[in-house]
């Protein structure tokens, strides 16, 4: 007989606002599978590969803003969730991870599909809980209900993140003939109301007073969701004070003519890393990670710079080794309040002018280089990004794809929102995350990925829910081309076999097997022709493979780096 407490897990999740469940088939998890599959208010999808399933769940939660439930069987199936769980932890994405398990007395007894699952994700979950194995007593029933409520509330409390609930289950796993399988109508729900993160008036006054003492203020946005209201208040702050606003591609704060979008280009010029006119005396940051290594190196070498980070709660990283103050409020509130305070701050005009002048020069250098350079994956990325449909979503795989995109930017593409798995920066779930995202929106979703990341995550497409709005661009240089771009591995004789890991596969068979339209291009003219139909909303899922040569890509990128060294101020 299936325990009522297990059946009620699905009911509690539904009442707490869960809409999506991603499960992978298994026997030990059968009671959970049946509970979620039979619940009328839940949308349940099956993905056989647990690693892909977890990243697809992450992509769904990323779009909906609501926790997604993951369900898997016992044993190594739970370990396959780990990469996505870690990514969700660092991106603050809510996941409720439910792993079926053997009863505790059978752990380490050489029984099938049995490992030590309790706390399996270590420090990469907000909390790890163990469900009671026996719920026959009233107290254990209360305990089981409380654990589900606590798990959900923890996953959604700021900062959001994954929570693990390990559920030991005894046989039988399936309802017996005549057994009543029903959801309880009287399950207890523990509601947690959100708190407002506010600062007292005297603290705002202190911040406003201190702000007056700085003359070169740099605002830097980390990875975050598109937020037009936040962008507007920061622009008001910058107009009122002369502060400079720098935005990586994944910040979703780029705006042509308003923000510094080409910092990754001009800070690649070695002489500008020490340019006096660019040096800030106050750095204000918010949200998560940066892509631009050039910007990180520039900020780490600044001496005497104060660094304020704005974040309502949770751990704060000292990425630039200059952190001096953590301000516990929402970024929008922070910039609104300091603009209203009439601080009297006036940034030195030469500082503002220097950043905007170099931004314009870098944009011009990048455009001229792309117009005059031969076909390469850098040039192909430029064409793809410049042709993205308005109000669409862009997913970027790690390694060179996300780096190319950060150099090129999306400021000229109205309404495009950018996503990348930069919590852990792994290549393992980029395609799956994009699939999950596409399953949760009517917008067109484009993934730009390298061949290694694509081949690594082909099981993202191995299920019955392939979204029609998915577009995949594969940059196939037949190996890990990023290692040729890095000085260390590039100079080693082992580069090709042990770093680039040469492979001769294409994406054609995968596209055909999984039901995607397929087209391969090897030059700029055919790419431009292909892009017109590729983004047609009625075309169904499509895969566009851009085949290039890794050595040629390196030579062209080396020429780009030379062009950047010529960027000068004034």
């Amino acid at each position: 007989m299936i325990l009522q407490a297990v059946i009620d897990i699905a009911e509690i999740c539904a009442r707490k606002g869960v809409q999506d469940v991603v499960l992978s088939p298994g026997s030990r998890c059968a009671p959970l599978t049946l509970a979620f599959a039979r619940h009328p208010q839940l949308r349940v999808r099956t993905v056989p590969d647990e690693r892909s399933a977890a990243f697809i769940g992450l992509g769904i939660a990323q779009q909906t803003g609501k926790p997604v439930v993951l369900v898997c069987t016992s044993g190594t199936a739970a370990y396959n969730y780990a990469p996505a769980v870690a990514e969700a932890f660092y991106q603050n994405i809510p996941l409720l991870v439910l792993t079926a398990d053997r009863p505790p007395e059978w752990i380490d007894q050489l029984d099938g599909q049995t490992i030590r699952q309790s706390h399996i994700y270590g420090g990469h979950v907000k909390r790890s809980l163990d469900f009671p194995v026996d719920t026959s007593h009233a107290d254990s029933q209360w305990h089981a209900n409380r654990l589900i409520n606590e798990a959900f509330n923890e996953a959604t409390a700021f900062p959001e993140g994954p929570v693990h609930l390990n559920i030991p289950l005894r046989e039988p796993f399936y309802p017996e003939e005549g057994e009543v399988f029903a959801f309880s109508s009287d399950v207890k729900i523990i509601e947690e109301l959100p708190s407002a993160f506010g600062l007292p008036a005297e603290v705002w006054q202190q911040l406003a007073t201190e702000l007056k003492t700085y003359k070169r203020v740099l605002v830097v946005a980390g990875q975050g969701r598109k937020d037009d209201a936040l962008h507007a208040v920061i622009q008001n702050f910058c107009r009122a004070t002369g502060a400079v606003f720098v935005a990586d591609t994944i910040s979703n704060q780029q705006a042509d003519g308003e923000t510094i979008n080409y910092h990754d280009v001009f800070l690649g010029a070695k002489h500008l890393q020490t340019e006096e006119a660019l040096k800030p005396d106050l750095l204000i940051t918010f949200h998560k990670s940066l892509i631009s290594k050039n910007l990180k190196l520039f900020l780490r070498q600044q001496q005497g710079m104060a660094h304020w980070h704005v974040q309502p709660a949770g751990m704060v990283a000292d990425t630039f080794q200059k952190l001096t103050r953590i301000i516990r409020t929402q970024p929008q509130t922070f910039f609104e309040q300091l603009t209203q305070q009439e601080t009297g701050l006036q940034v030195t005009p030469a500082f503002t002018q220097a950043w905007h002048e170099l931004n314009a020069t870098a944009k011009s250098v990048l455009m001229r280089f792309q117009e005059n350079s031969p076909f390469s994956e850098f040039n192909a990325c430029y064409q793809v990004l410049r042709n993205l449909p308005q109000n669409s979503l862009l997913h970027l795989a790690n390694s060179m794809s996300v780096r190319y995109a950060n150099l090129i930017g999306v400021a000229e593409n109205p309404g495009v929102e950018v996503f990348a798995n930069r919590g852990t920066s792994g290549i393992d779930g980029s395609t799956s995350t994009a699939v999950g995202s596409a399953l949760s929106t009517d917008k067109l979703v484009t993934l730009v990925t390298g061949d290694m990341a694509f081949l690594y995550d082909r099981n993202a497409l191995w299920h019955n829910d392939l979204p029609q709005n998915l577009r995949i661009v594969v940059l196939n240089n037949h190996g890990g081309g990023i290692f040729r771009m890095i000085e260390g591995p590039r100079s080693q004789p082992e580069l090709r076999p042990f770093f680039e890991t040469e492979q001769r596969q294409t994406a054609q068979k995968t596209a055909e097997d999984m039901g995607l339209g397929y087209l391969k291009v090897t030059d700029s003219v055919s790419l431009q022709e292909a892009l017109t139909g590729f983004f047609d909303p009625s075309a169904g899922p499509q895969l566009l493979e851009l085949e290039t040569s890794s050595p040629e890509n390196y030579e062209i990128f080396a020429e780009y780096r030379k062009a950047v060294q010529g960027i000068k101020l004034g």
Side-chain angles (χ1 to χ4, degrees):
M1 180 176 181
I2 297 178
L3 295 175
Q4 187 63 45
V6 174
I7 297 174
D8 286 345
I9 292 174
E11 177 66 19
I12 294 170
C13 287
R15 294 204 194 180
K16 297 286 280 184
V18 169
Q19 294 178 339
D20 292 281
V21 180
V22 180
L23 58 85
S24 297
S27 183
R28 182 67 53 171
C29 62
L32 290 165
T33 297
L34 294 175
F36 284 105
R38 293 182 181 184
H39 199 286
Q41 295 175 334
L42 297 172
R43 182 167 47 230
V44 181
R45 296 182 175 93
T46 301
V47 180
D49 185 319
E50 285 86 3
R51 188 181 70 192
S52 292
F55 275 109
I56 287 172
L58 182 147
I60 294 171
Q62 193 179 63
Q63 284 305 306
T64 64
K66 295 183 177 182
V68 169
V69 173
L70 303 177
V71 177
C72 74
T73 194
S74 62
T76 55
Y79 258 134
N80 283 308
Y81 278 167
V85 168
E87 183 66 32
F89 180 78
Y90 285 110
Q91 276 202 58
N92 303 135
I93 293 175
L95 296 177
L96 195 56
V97 184
L98 307 184
T99 56
D101 197 4
R102 282 284 196 280
E105 65 268 21
W106 284 104
I107 306 303
D108 296 335
Q109 299 307 304
L110 305 183
D111 208 13
Q113 287 185 238
T114 307
I115 62 174
R116 301 173 185 179
Q117 286 181 211
S118 182
H119 299 268
I120 195 172
Y121 305 113
H124 292 121
V125 288
K126 293 184 68 179
R127 194 172 176 191
S128 190
L129 303 165
D130 290 301
F131 201 73
V133 69
D134 181 6
T135 57
S136 59
H137 192 278
D139 284 357
S140 62
Q141 294 169 19
W142 160 77
H143 184 207
N145 175 284
R146 178 168 58 82
L147 287 177
I148 297 296
N149 276 278
E150 288 179 3
F152 183 94
N153 290 343
E154 184 66 33
T156 55
F158 190 95
E160 297 175 321
V163 173
H164 174 216
L165 185 62
N166 194 52
I167 305 174
L169 296 167
R170 289 196 174 100
E171 296 189 53
F173 301 143
Y174 302 92
E176 299 173 358
E177 186 176 352
E179 179 181 337
V180 176
F181 190 105
F183 301 101
S184 300
S185 60
D186 58 348
V187 293
K188 186 175 74 166
I189 301 300
I190 303 173
E191 183 181 9
E192 182 171 344
L193 298 178
S195 61
F197 300 97
L199 298 174
E202 58 269 23
V203 173
W204 287 116
Q205 185 57 54
Q206 175 191 350
L207 291 172
T209 300
E210 287 189 27
L211 198 57
K212 293 179 185 179
T213 65
Y214 297 105
K215 298 301 179 186
R216 301 185 306 277
V217 178
L218 194 68
V219 178
V220 174
Q223 182 173 19
R225 293 297 305 269
K226 194 170 186 62
D227 188 335
D228 292 337
L230 174 59
H231 183 84
V233 299
I234 298 175
Q235 287 303 315
N236 288 339
F237 174 80
C238 291
R239 281 190 287 268
T241 63
V244 174
F245 186 16
V246 178
D248 257 6
T249 301
I250 59 172
S251 73
N252 285 299
Q253 290 291 323
Q254 290 193 339
D256 194 29
E258 295 180 347
T259 55
I260 304 299
N261 310 315
Y262 297 97
H263 51 284
D264 209 9
V265 176
F266 66 79
L267 287 176
K270 293 181 180 179
H271 62 278
L272 291 176
Q273 283 279 335
T274 56
E275 173 59 52
E276 193 67 31
L278 297 178
K279 294 181 178 180
D281 56 8
L282 173 63
L283 170 67
I284 302 173
T285 61
F286 61 95
H287 289 163
K288 304 180 188 75
S289 64
L290 297 178
I291 298 172
S292 176
K293 184 176 181 180
N294 291 327
L295 179 59
K296 284 187 274 192
L297 292 175
F298 171 77
L299 293 172
R300 284 171 187 165
Q301 67 182 340
Q302 300 308 312
Q303 300 301 315
M305 178 185 73
H307 176 195
W308 297 358
H309 183 76
V310 183
Q311 182 175 305
M315 185 189 75
V316 172
D318 188 9
T319 305
F320 314 113
Q321 302 177 307
K322 297 291 184 291
L323 186 65
T324 55
R325 175 167 288 159
I326 298 169
I327 301 171
R328 292 300 192 185
T329 189
Q330 294 287 355
Q332 182 171 335
T333 302
F334 172 82
F335 289 106
E336 280 178 339
Q337 286 287 336
L338 286 188
T339 304
Q340 293 169 7
Q341 289 279 335
E342 298 181 0
T343 62
L345 166 68
Q346 283 299 315
V347 171
T348 303
F351 174 78
T352 307
Q353 291 166 8
W355 278 90
H356 283 277
E357 177 187 322
L358 286 171
N359 189 62
T361 302
K363 178 181 178 180
S364 178
V365 167
L366 181 68
M367 290 177 64
R368 285 199 306 273
F369 181 82
Q370 296 294 352
E371 289 169 358
N372 299 317
S373 67
F375 183 75
S376 68
E377 59 186 18
F378 190 19
N379 176 268
C381 270
Y382 187 89
Q383 292 187 60
V384 169
L385 296 185
R386 286 292 179 266
N387 283 276
L388 288 174
Q390 294 186 13
N391 300 312
S392 63
L393 306 184
L394 171 65
H395 278 253
L396 299 166
N398 284 307
S399 291
M400 286 308 295
S401 300
V402 73
R403 288 171 171 82
Y404 285 140
N406 203 50
L407 293 168
I408 298 162
V410 295
E412 297 179 7
N413 301 77
V416 171
E417 187 169 13
V418 184
F419 299 89
N421 286 348
R422 297 302 291 180
T424 60
S425 301
I427 67 167
D428 36 11
S430 303
T431 307
S432 295
T433 305
V435 168
S437 176
L439 287 169
S440 306
T441 180
D442 293 329
K443 295 182 178 181
L444 203 68
V445 176
T446 302
L447 167 69
V448 178
T449 180
D451 54 305
M452 299 298 285
F454 176 76
L455 294 171
Y456 199 78
D457 195 22
R458 281 185 287 192
N459 280 355
L461 309 171
W462 177 42
H463 51 86
N464 297 324
D465 292 300
L466 192 65
Q468 298 297 297
N469 56 336
L470 179 67
R471 303 292 183 272
I472 300 175
V473 177
V474 179
L475 307 175
N476 192 351
N477 56 40
H478 297 287
I482 189 172
F483 294 105
R484 193 173 290 269
M485 306 295 187
I486 304 171
E487 181 58 38
R490 182 172 71 241
S491 59
Q492 306 305 314
E494 295 85 357
L495 169 66
R496 194 67 178 164
F498 294 109
F499 291 93
E500 283 193 320
T501 54
E502 181 178 4
Q503 56 82 23
R504 302 311 304 167
Q505 296 185 62
T506 72
Q508 181 174 358
K509 292 299 183 184
T510 300
E512 292 173 353
D513 289 345
M514 304 304 185
L516 290 87
Y518 175 81
L519 186 63
K520 182 169 78 173
V521 300
T522 56
D523 60 77
S524 294
V525 174
S526 58
L527 174 57
Q528 278 297 329
E529 293 174 352
L531 287 175
T532 304
F534 182 70
F535 291 122
D536 182 345
S538 64
Q542 299 288 311
L543 190 151
L544 176 62
E545 186 164 26
L546 310 177
E547 193 169 41
T548 60
S549 159
S550 186
E552 290 177 9
N553 288 330
Y554 165 68
E555 294 299 331
I556 292 169
F557 199 67
E559 289 299 316
Y560 157 77
R561 283 173 167 161
K562 289 180 184 177
V564 167
Q565 297 308 315
I567 297 176
K568 293 186 177 5
L569 184 62

